[in-house]
């Protein structure tokens, strides 16, 4: 079982301030690092009203500087909105300063205003992504290479052989084949694509991919009194859920685990939103079992850091030791 954190820093007017959230994210990453958590997922969007994090690489640098073992996973990093050479440099520096603890999920992006903001043509985003990925691969050799008709070189060379680990997502056969032939790890839109991916990856001469992890709830809050805490966390979860559901309309295809919800009862009915006691949390995670990724979206919707900490500390005290005893997690870096 894998334990993770996730942050997007999107907050409504009634939510926590950005300075408080950024400080809490760094402190919580340091806490998770000591408990053997695997990853801190850091997301990216631009020009959002709630101040969604636009600079996950900057936040990753702070997280990595405060930790020694945990991975900062930029998921998703909207590579189509970055200059390819600067992106290669920044990620290489992060790889060096963390001794290989930076991973990325490369995203194409889907919000039209973001492409307009950076003067990119959204209809050419696949071609842009292909150029970025080819540039990263060439740049991370540390050797001179041709880029748009000129010879360039990116230094320093990453610590990780070939550069930071890259994941690709997708919901089509073409995405599975593209990820396989380039040796990337893959997050498929549906299970059948993973079989295509594995076959094509083997044919391309790459070793077997990482196994797919089963996702736990996208929002998991541990409480000694769920009925007391539901009304506290619900406005924040609803803000995030409704925001993601609205943004998903801009994508045109695909799906999201976040659905629109207007009431506490609607949130309670969602299988991926859970506010539970320590006993309920343990039973839920034990039933999911090995191979599950448990990700705490600790500050979702601008949740007050103090309220967030109450859940994390309760998990540490009353759930984590039982998971360790079951052999589901190690409980140490």
């Amino acid at each position: 079982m894998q334990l993770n954190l996730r942050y997007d820093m999107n907050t409504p007017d009634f939510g926590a301030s950005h300075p408080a959230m950024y400080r809490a994210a760094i402190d919580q990453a340091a806490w998770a690092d000591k408990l053997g958590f695997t990853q801190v997922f850091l997301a990216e969007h631009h020009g959002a009203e709630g101040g969604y994090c636009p600079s996950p690489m900057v936040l990753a640098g702070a997280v990595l500087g405060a930790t020694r073992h945990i991975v900062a996973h930029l998921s998703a990093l909207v590579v189509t909105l970055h200059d390819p050479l600067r992106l290669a440099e920044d990620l290489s520096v992060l790889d060096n300063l963390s001794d290989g603890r930076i991973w990325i999920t490369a995203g194409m992006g889907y919000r039209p205003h973001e492409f307009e903001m950076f003067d990119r043509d959204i209809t050419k985003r696949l071609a842009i992504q292909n150029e970025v990925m080819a540039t990263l691969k060439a740049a991370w050799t540390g050797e001179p290479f041709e880029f748009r008709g000129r010879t360039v070189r990116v230094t320093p060379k990453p610590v990780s052989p070939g550069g930071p680990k890259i994941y690709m997502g997708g919901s089509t056969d073409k995405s599975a084949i593209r990820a396989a032939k380039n040796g990337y790890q893959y997050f498929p839109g549906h299970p059948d694509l993973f079989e295509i991916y594995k076959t094509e990856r083997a044919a391309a001469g790459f070793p077997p991919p990482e196994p797919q992890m089963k996702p736990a709830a996208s929002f998991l809050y541990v409480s000694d009194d769920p009925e007391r805490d539901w009304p506290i966390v619900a406005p924040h979860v609803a803000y995030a859920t409704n925001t993601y559901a609205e943004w998903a309309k801009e994508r045109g295809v695909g799906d999201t685990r976040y659905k629109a919800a207007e009431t506490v009862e609607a949130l309670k009915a969602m299988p991926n939103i859970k506010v539970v006691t320590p006993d309920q949390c343990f039973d839920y995670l034990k039933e999911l079992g090995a191979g599950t990724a448990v990700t705490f979206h600790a500050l979702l919707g601008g949740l007050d850091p103090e309220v967030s900490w109450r859940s994390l500390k309760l998990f540490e005290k009353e759930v984590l030791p039982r998971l360790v005893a079951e052999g589901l997690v190690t409980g140490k870096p």
Side-chain angles (χ1 to χ4, degrees), residues 170-210 212:
S171 300
T172 64
D173 292 3
K174 289 182 179 179
S175 70
I177 294 169
R178 186 163 58 245
K181 289 186 174 180
N182 287 283
Y184 301 125
Q185 300 298 328
Y186 183 56
F187 289 143
H190 56 83
D192 291 347
L193 290 175
F194 202 75
E195 294 305 313
I196 297 173
Y197 164 71
K198 286 196 297 184
T199 300
E200 293 290 339
R201 183 180 168 93
F206 291 103
E210 297 176 0
Q212 285 183 284

Side-chain angles (χ1 to χ4, degrees), residues 38-39 64 67-73 91-104 157-161 163-167:
T38 301
Q39 302 173 75
L64 293 168
T67 58
R68 291 295 175 267
H69 307 283
I70 203 164
V71 169
H73 188 154
L91 290 171
S92 185
V93 168
L94 287 171
D95 194 61
N96 275 272
L97 71 83
S98 66
D99 198 22
R101 292 185 292 125
I102 185 74
W103 299 349
I104 72 170
K157 183 179 178 180
V159 170
S160 303
K165 182 189 293 186
I166 296 177
Y167 291 79

Side-chain angles (χ1 to χ4, degrees), residues 95-136:
D95 194 61
N96 275 272
L97 71 83
S98 66
D99 198 22
R101 292 185 292 125
I102 185 74
W103 299 349
I104 72 170
T105 293
M108 283 197 294
Y110 63 91
R111 304 203 69 198
H113 85 269
E114 295 184 336
F115 284 81
E116 293 170 4
M117 179 175 174
F118 289 95
D119 195 25
R120 303 288 201 277
D121 185 345
I122 194 171
T123 66
K124 297 179 180 178
R125 58 183 178 165
L126 177 57
I128 297 171
Q129 185 186 46
N130 288 340
E131 182 195 41
V132 172
M133 304 314 292
T135 301
L136 294 180

